[in-house]
Amino acid sequence: MNNQLARNEIKNPIERLAIFALAVLVAIMLASMTIRQFQVADPYVKSVLSLTGNPFQGSAIFQMNCAGCHTSVSDSQVGPNLHGVSERKSEFDLIRQVTSGQTPPMPQFQPSPQEMADLLKYLEQI
């Protein structure tokens, strides 16, 4: 009987570790889904994401407001290259980046929801 108890004690730490790892994974997934739901609940973001962007209008907005510091083709002197930015950042992150002004020297912009949808559509293409 003592031998059987010792074997169960050896298995239990491995099982506990596996259950703990699974619980952590589930918690991370739930947290990610909750954060995403909270982000989309923002009225401005919800409005932007409900619109269909026009990449041609987005290009014009980019040229007027962004191209002075950013480029879509090569490195720039002020802001980072935005080629493939939509592959690196979510739509929410791009909206927050444009509207927050939290990363100086980038200023805070307040595009209309349609302008932001157009800019997102353009950024998807570069």
Side-chain angles (χ1 to χ4, degrees):
M1 176 135 178
N2 287 338
N3 231 0
Q4 188 177 17
L5 183 60
R7 285 187 200 150
N8 286 340
E9 288 176 5
I10 292 171
K11 288 183 180 178
N12 281 339
I14 294 170
E15 289 173 1
R16 287 181 191 164
L17 183 61
I19 291 171
F20 178 74
L22 183 61
V24 168
L25 181 63
V26 169
I28 290 170
M29 289 173 48
L30 288 174
S32 296
M33 290 174 13
T34 302
I35 290 169
R36 174 73 177 152
Q37 195 64 23
F38 176 73
Q39 293 169 342
V40 175
D42 178 279
Y44 177 78
V45 173
K46 195 174 192 176
S47 177
V48 170
L49 297 178
S50 72
L51 298 169
T52 301
N54 178 329
F56 298 108
Q57 287 297 112
S59 176
I61 293 166
F62 182 87
Q63 293 306 315
M64 289 187 302
N65 297 291
C66 312
C69 296
H70 296 278
T71 169
S72 61
V73 181
S74 63
D75 290 331
S76 59
Q77 293 184 359
V78 179
N81 179 335
L82 296 181
H83 177 73
V85 70
S86 64
E87 296 169 11
R88 297 187 306 270
K89 290 186 173 268
S90 69
E91 289 178 323
F92 176 80
D93 289 336
L94 290 170
I95 293 168
R96 186 180 62 198
Q97 182 71 44
V98 169
T99 61
S100 73
Q102 292 180 348
T103 51
M106 184 168 167
Q108 179 179 11
F109 292 102
Q110 292 300 314
S112 71
Q114 184 62 58
E115 291 170 335
M116 190 69 229
D118 295 341
L119 184 59
L120 286 175
K121 186 58 84 174
Y122 172 72
L123 292 173
E124 285 177 10
Q125 295 183 346
I126 61 171

